[in-house]
Amino acid sequence: MTKTAFFPRLLVCILVLIILIILHVIPLPILEVLILFVMVFRPRWFKNLVDQIYNE
């Protein structure tokens, strides 16, 4: 898969999540913000967490 094909899909996912965050006003959308953060920034701690879960 090329990077140009991946980038539009990532944008679509981000837009969908932003729309879901906007629609889900009450209670605070903490889970959606966390998911958006993980999708955009791909933090090292998340990869380590997934590796630990699937390693067991």
Side-chain angles (χ1 to χ4, degrees):
M1 181 179 347
T2 63
K3 194 155 189 98
T4 57
F6 176 73
F7 190 68
R9 270 192 242 161
L10 179 63
L11 284 178
V12 169
C13 288
I14 291 171
L15 288 175
V16 167
L17 283 174
I18 288 174
I19 291 169
L20 287 173
I21 289 169
I22 291 170
L23 292 176
H24 190 241
V25 175
I26 297 175
L28 263 122
I30 295 172
L31 182 60
E32 290 89 349
V33 172
L34 180 64
I35 291 171
L36 182 62
F37 173 80
V38 168
M39 284 182 60
V40 172
F41 295 109
R42 298 182 187 167
R44 187 81 170 149
W45 60 266
F46 184 75
K47 183 185 181 318
N48 291 339
L49 177 67
V50 172
D51 287 342
Q52 287 176 0
I53 291 172
Y54 283 104
N55 197 18
E56 294 177 355

